[in-house]
Amino acid sequence: MSAEIVVSLITLAGSALGTFAGIFINTKLTNYRIEQLEKKVEKHNNLIERVYRLEQNEAVTAEKIAVANHRIGDLEQQLEKSES
C-alpha cells in the first residue's frame, strides 16, 4: 500500500471516531437535560395539584362561613323577637 492510502485510511478512521464520539456526548447531554426538565415539570405539576386542593378547601371554608353567618343572623332575629 502506498503511504497516501494509509494516511487517508487513518484520517477516515479518526474522523469517524471523532464524529461518533461527538454524537455520543451530545446524546448524553441531551438526555441529562431532558431528565432535569422532567423533574422540574413534576415539581410544577405537584404545585398545581396542591394549589387546586387549597382552592377547593377555601371554597368549602367560605361556604361554611356563609352558613355560620346565616345561622347567626337567624339567632339574632329570634333573640330580637323574644325581647320584643
Side-chain angles (χ1 to χ4, degrees):
M1 274 194 188
S2 69
E4 292 86 16
I5 294 175
V6 172
V7 169
S8 63
L9 289 175
I10 292 172
T11 304
L12 175 66
S15 296
L17 182 64
T19 301
F20 290 123
I23 290 171
F24 177 74
I25 290 170
N26 192 21
T27 302
K28 283 182 70 172
L29 178 61
T30 302
N31 287 339
Y32 173 76
R33 294 183 75 193
I34 288 172
E35 287 174 9
Q36 297 305 310
L37 287 172
E38 287 173 346
K39 288 178 184 177
K40 286 183 179 181
V41 167
E42 185 64 31
K43 286 181 183 179
H44 175 74
N45 288 344
N46 287 340
L47 175 67
I48 296 299
E49 290 174 10
R50 289 184 6 221
V51 168
Y52 178 73
R53 279 188 243 125
L54 287 172
E55 288 174 346
Q56 285 180 328
N57 289 340
E58 190 272 333
V60 169
T61 303
E63 181 64 26
K64 287 180 180 179
I65 289 171
V67 168
N69 286 335
H70 184 69
R71 286 181 178 172
I72 291 170
D74 289 346
L75 291 172
E76 287 174 346
Q77 286 177 356
Q78 288 177 0
L79 181 61
E80 288 173 4
K81 287 180 184 177
S82 67
E83 288 178 355
S84 307

